[in-house]
Amino acid sequence: MEPLFTYKCTTCGKSFEKDEVLYLCPECSRNQEPGRPLEGVLEAIFDFRKLTMKFDPADTDLECLMPIEKKYRPVLPVGHTPLFKAGRLADSLGMKDLWIKNDGQNPSGSLKDRASFMVTAQALKLGYDRVVTASTGNAASSLAAVCASAGLSAIIFVPASAPRAKLVQVMIHGARLVPVNGTYDQAFSLSMEYTEKFKGLNRNTAFNPLTIEGKKTVAFEIFRQLGKVPDAIVVPVGDGVILAAVHKGFKDLTGIGLTDKLPRLIAVQAESSAAVHHLFTTGEFKASPNPSTVADSISVSVPSNAWWAKRALEESKGLSIMVSDRQILRAQAELASMTGVFAEPAASAGLAGLKELIFNGKLDPASSLVLLVTGHGLKDVDTAEQGLDFPDPVEPETKSLEALI
Ligand SMILES: *Cc1c(COP(=O)(O)O)cnc(C)c1O
Ligand SMILES: [Zn+2]
């Protein structure tokens, strides 16, 4: 069955049939100014009336809310990552009901696989032979992996300064890597020009609405695994697509009648890259002129999906907070040593923000809370190593053990 949805422009509200448009609202995107978040991002609106009539309770993956049919999806398994109660960490924070959703366990090691998966399925359905993206690093390694599984070419624009492991991932999966001597935002522009000139399906985050649809599956899984909607979910924010997607996922669940509760969203950004935080707290958009944080995956000057991210925070009665690199690195070590989860810096920012909000009394420590861990720590060993003091090697003799007592 063809998926039952149409697109709605999140800027002007106009509706489009899904075979009419691919990326942004054609009208609103004409008014795009440089240095501003994307105008005309499309939202997939499902026909809940029809879907509710036909809803099969055995459809635990909520296939009826997927924009691309299962038969087009790549074979590489994506998602279905573990959710578990973080007892020791919860105790140390005085919390009662803290959970970790570990999306670092996706095939390429980040939540980005969910978006790459859906866009690659779209490419297979529409007959594209190549998929193009700009990335801070994880969308790159992710698209490379998923395209490898689907037998499609991936063309990938990344800042040359991205962590080496992420670039290695791109290369080892056989994708075409274009390192850009510049920022992520500049790589984004270049990838758009490439798509116009040489065709290919564009996976740029928020620009392709299926990135949001792919990422929303994490909300469905949290709901299923927890057996309820948590009070709040902590999300590290760069372009604001994960944040919007988590919100969209829970809204779809209310649409189909599985719950009537929305979780509060907690957005965490790095101090030097906090345009969504600024927009939410002041109502005004201001780019972050020099994003420079150890959390490379959330280092963004102009978040593409800032408008929708702001709306998600408002509608969910959410909170936003900025954290410093020091807080992020401390949270990274704490998460690793108290839960067994080694997260990359961006994925550790969530815990840094959560700690701050608990200590400041902004969050109820008794509430049920999910910490979304978005990427694996092995993707950037160099940064993690900065805070570590390696011991000197010992001689291979019994005597050496005396010093260890
Ligand atoms: C991309 C990414 C984020 C932020 O997601 P946005 O949709 O850009 O806000 C957070 N953590 C990790 C590990 C990521 O790769
Ligand atoms: Zn529009």
Side-chain angles (χ1 to χ4, degrees):
M1 191 185 68
E2 264 288 304
L4 288 170
F5 74 94
T6 52
Y7 283 120
K8 188 173 156 204
C9 171
T10 54
T11 306
C12 73
K14 196 167 175 222
S15 291
F16 300 92
E17 289 305 319
K18 58 179 172 291
D19 47 11
E20 233 182 302
V21 284
L22 204 47
Y23 304 117
L24 301 172
C25 168
E27 289 166 30
C28 294
S29 57
R30 242 181 276 136
N31 304 327
Q32 182 70 47
E33 289 168 36
R36 306 274 297 170
L38 291 177
E39 298 292 345
V41 173
L42 296 179
E43 176 173 1
I45 305 285
F46 284 81
D47 186 338
F48 294 122
R49 204 179 49 83
K50 279 203 193 119
L51 287 174
T52 311
M53 280 177 346
K54 287 189 211 158
F55 183 63
D56 174 3
D59 181 10
T60 48
D61 285 344
L62 296 163
E63 281 297 333
C64 65
L65 294 171
M66 298 296 161
I68 304 286
E69 301 92 312
K70 207 167 186 170
K71 64 180 177 198
Y72 297 110
R73 312 241 188 95
V75 290
L76 184 70
V78 162
H80 298 104
T81 57
L83 177 92
F84 63 96
K85 198 158 184 174
R88 284 189 65 218
L89 180 62
D91 289 346
S92 80
L93 296 169
M95 295 188 69
K96 297 264 178 325
D97 201 14
L98 175 64
W99 299 77
I100 286 179
K101 174 71 171 164
N102 188 7
D103 250 47
Q105 279 188 231
N106 272 301
S108 86
S110 85
L111 191 148
K112 297 286 193 294
D113 285 349
R114 296 178 186 273
S116 298
F117 190 67
M118 202 57 81
V119 172
T120 303
Q122 181 188 30
L124 291 170
K125 179 172 178 175
L126 302 179
Y128 283 90
D129 66 347
R130 67 183 73 183
V131 188
V132 184
T133 200
S135 168
T136 57
N138 279 339
S141 40
S142 166
L143 185 65
V146 178
C147 278
S149 133
L152 300 182
S153 330
I155 294 107
I156 286 163
F157 296 80
V158 271
S161 61
R164 201 74 188 163
K166 298 183 182 182
L167 303 182
V168 169
Q169 283 184 291
V170 172
M171 300 291 291
I172 205 88
H173 288 302
R176 176 106 188 247
L177 178 70
V178 187
V180 178
N181 274 326
T183 61
Y184 162 61
D185 303 78
Q186 291 168 317
F188 195 97
S189 305
L190 206 56
S191 76
M192 301 283 243
E193 260 182 68
Y194 177 95
T195 317
E196 244 170 55
K197 276 211 176 90
F198 303 108
K199 306 301 169 212
L201 185 64
N202 191 300
R203 180 221 174 275
N204 279 359
T205 197
F207 178 69
N208 185 325
L210 294 198
T211 52
I212 294 153
E213 289 299 300
K215 286 178 173 185
K216 81 178 180 188
T217 55
V218 77
F220 295 172
E221 289 174 22
I222 290 171
F223 176 69
R224 288 295 191 201
Q225 290 169 307
L226 207 55
K228 64 174 182 185
V229 177
D231 295 327
I233 302 182
V234 182
V235 183
V237 174
D239 277 305
V241 171
I242 299 179
L243 188 78
V246 170
H247 186 61
K248 168 71 160 59
F250 282 99
K251 286 224 336 205
D252 280 1
L253 290 173
T254 65
I256 202 155
L258 287 176
T259 175
D260 51 16
K261 175 176 168 182
L262 291 176
R264 289 185 86 183
L265 296 179
I266 318 279
V268 183
Q269 293 206 283
E271 271 172 357
S272 70
S273 169
V276 169
H277 171 75
H278 189 266
L279 177 65
F280 177 60
T281 49
T282 68
E284 274 176 38
F285 179 76
K286 194 167 144 266
S288 303
N290 292 308
S292 64
T293 162
V294 289
D296 59 288
S297 303
I298 51 173
S299 181
V300 179
S301 172
V302 181
S304 338
N305 207 34
W307 306 125
W308 192 342
K310 173 176 181 267
R311 173 160 65 91
L313 285 169
E314 286 166 355
E315 286 183 12
S316 77
K317 302 187 172 52
L319 290 170
S320 86
I321 186 164
M322 296 188 294
V323 291
S324 68
D325 279 4
R326 265 187 60 188
Q327 286 175 297
I328 291 173
L329 292 176
R330 202 176 307 141
Q332 183 183 40
E334 228 164 272
L335 189 64
S337 60
M338 288 219 251
T339 70
V341 174
F342 181 20
E344 64 167 281
S348 309
L351 176 58
L354 171 63
K355 281 172 57 184
E356 182 92 7
L357 290 167
I358 291 282
F359 293 146
N360 295 338
K362 301 246 173 71
L363 265 181
D364 177 4
S367 58
S368 58
L369 198 138
V370 175
L371 191 60
L372 189 54
V373 172
T374 46
H376 202 290
L378 289 175
K379 281 172 166 285
D380 184 6
V381 170
D382 286 351
T383 300
E385 201 174 325
Q386 287 170 24
L388 304 179
D389 228 345
F390 274 88
D392 292 329
V394 300
E395 294 313 314
E397 50 198 35
T398 315
K399 200 159 64 125
S400 305
L401 299 182
E402 281 161 24
L404 299 180
I405 306 164

